[in-house]
Each structure stands twice: as structure tokens, then as C-alpha cells.
């Protein structure tokens, strides 16, 4: 939804998750903890998706999500950054981009891969890879999509899971394309 610039739909995703948590048999503290975790994971997904969606769309989506979060959950969210530094694949990623433009490699490692995509505090490497596959498919970036499709396999996803993520992207594209066309 972020890629498709439909931030107004993101609060509904949170509300659906909140409803599912509310009907669980957990106590109030457990429900609040689960809701906080959902918000953290949604925010992390939006932040990580900016690789393909662009920062303006991520900002819009983050603001829309924030407007839907109850104050009780807002107070539980971190107020400082949670990122760690990426290291395991730094040389490979760096060498691939360095040949195109050294500054591109430096920016990508320091600003995108290094501090954003490699962090698995909230969303693991496998889930992050699937998120990027969906975002790149929606942004119609075939070379990066193909690279990250295979990268998702390297982070533990099965071919079926990667194909399912690709199908989700296709469904979202069809849904929002038909919605856009009917409003014109």
C-alpha cells in the first residue's frame, strides 16, 4: 500500500490486527504487548520498503499508521533508533555497486543496506527479503526484483514463499489499478 501511495489504507491494516488481538484470550498486558509488536513490525516494514517505494511514500505511510495508533500503544514505542550495522554481505554488495559508481556503493551500504535492510531486530532477514520482493515487483524494477527474488531464497525462503509474495504484489497492483481506473 505504501508503494502504491495509498497510505490511507494502512491504518486499516493496524485496526484489523488490533481486532484479532482483542479477541484473543490474553490478559490486558499481553494484548498491549502484542499490539505494540504489531505497530513496531508495521513501522519497520514501511521503513524497509522505502528502498523500493521512495522516502516520500514511506513518510506518508508512516504518518497514516501513526494516526491510527492509540495513545496507550504510542507510549510503549521506542523513542530512540533501533538499527544495528550491517556487515555479513558488505563486501559482495559493495563490489557489485562499486563498479557502477563508487559513491552509489558507499551510499547504499551506509544508508540502505547497512543500517536498514540488514537489521533483523523486528523483521527477520527472510521476511525483509520477501518485503523487498513485493516492493520491487510493485515498483516495476525487474533487475532489482530478480536479484532480490534470488536473495530471498538465500535468506531461507522457499520458492513457493517467494512466488506467493510475488502473487501478493500482483494482487495489490490489480486491486489498486482497478480502483484507480474506476475513480477516473
Amino acid at each position: 500500500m505504501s508503494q502504491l501511495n495509498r497510505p490511507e489504507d494502512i491504518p486499516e491494516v493496524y485496526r484489523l490486527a488490533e481486532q484479532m488481538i482483542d479477541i484473543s484470550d490474553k490478559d490486558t498486558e499481553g494484548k498491549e504487548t502484542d499490539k505494540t509488536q504489531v505497530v513496531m513490525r508495521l513501522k519497520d516494514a514501511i521503513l524497509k520498503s522505502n528502498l523500493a517505494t521512495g522516502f516520500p511514500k514511506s513518510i506518508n505511510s508512516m504518518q497514516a499508521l501513526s494516526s491510527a495508533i492509540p495513545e496507550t500503544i504510542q507510549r510503549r514505542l521506542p523513542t530512540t533508533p533501533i538499527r544495528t550495522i550491517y556487515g555479513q554481505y558488505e563486501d559482495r554488495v559493495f563490489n557489485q555497486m562499486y563498479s557502477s559508481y563508487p559513491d552509489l556503493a558507499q551510499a547504499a551500504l551506509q544508508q540502505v543496506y547497512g543500517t536498514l535492510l540488514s537489521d533483523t531486530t523486528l523483521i527477520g532477514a527472510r521476511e525483509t527479503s520477501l518485503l523487498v520482493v513485493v516492493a520491487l515487483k510493485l515498483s516495476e524494477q525487474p533487475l532489482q526484483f530478480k536479484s532480490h527474488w534470488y536473495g530471498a531464497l538465500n535468506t531461507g525462503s522457499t520458492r513457493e514463499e517467494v512466488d506467493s509474495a510475488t502473487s501478493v504484489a500482483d494482487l495489490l497492483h490489480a486491486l489498486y489499478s482497478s480502483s484507480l481506473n474506476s475513480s477516473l
Side-chain angles (χ1 to χ4, degrees):
M1 288 171 243
S2 190
Q3 171 62 34
L4 297 165
N5 203 25
R6 297 297 293 263
E8 66 275 9
D9 292 343
I10 291 172
E12 188 59 28
V13 174
Y14 172 73
R15 283 190 277 278
L16 289 171
E18 186 178 47
Q19 288 172 4
M20 296 298 294
I21 293 167
D22 284 341
I23 63 172
S24 74
D25 52 357
K26 290 189 176 184
D27 63 13
T28 302
E29 178 61 26
K31 289 178 182 183
E32 295 286 308
T33 298
D34 286 355
K35 289 176 186 180
T36 301
Q37 190 64 21
V38 165
V39 169
M40 295 290 296
R41 289 173 57 85
L42 284 170
K43 286 184 174 223
D44 209 44
I46 291 167
L47 184 62
K48 286 182 174 185
S49 73
N50 94 69
L51 169 69
T53 64
F55 230 70
K57 289 179 182 176
S58 293
I59 291 168
N60 293 342
S61 295
M62 195 72 72
Q63 289 173 337
L65 174 60
S66 292
S67 72
I69 302 168
E71 185 58 36
T72 56
I73 302 302
Q74 285 282 8
R75 287 193 299 269
R76 298 173 67 109
L77 298 175
T79 57
T80 58
I82 60 170
R83 298 279 161 237
T84 59
I85 301 299
Y86 181 81
Q88 185 177 354
Y89 297 105
E90 185 171 331
D91 290 338
R92 183 182 66 150
V93 172
F94 183 81
N95 290 332
Q96 287 174 342
M97 286 187 274
Y98 187 86
S99 63
S100 296
Y101 183 49
D103 288 2
L104 172 65
Q106 181 180 7
L109 286 172
Q110 292 176 355
Q111 298 169 13
V112 179
Y113 293 99
T115 59
L116 188 59
L117 292 181
S118 65
D119 178 51
T120 57
T121 304
L122 294 170
I123 298 178
R126 192 176 132 276
E127 293 168 306
T128 295
S129 292
L130 293 171
L131 169 71
V132 173
V133 164
V134 171
L136 289 169
K137 176 74 172 177
L138 286 169
S139 65
E140 300 176 353
Q141 301 299 318
L143 294 176
Q144 290 81 10
F145 168 78
K146 181 179 178 182
S147 173
H148 284 272
W149 193 96
Y150 286 106
L153 297 177
N154 292 334
T155 60
S157 295
T158 65
R159 288 184 178 274
E160 292 77 23
E161 289 170 326
V162 182
D163 286 340
S164 291
T166 302
S167 294
V168 167
D170 291 337
L171 288 170
L172 286 169
H173 187 270
L175 172 70
Y176 283 104
S177 294
S178 65
S179 172
L180 178 63
N181 290 337
S182 67
S183 67
L184 294 179

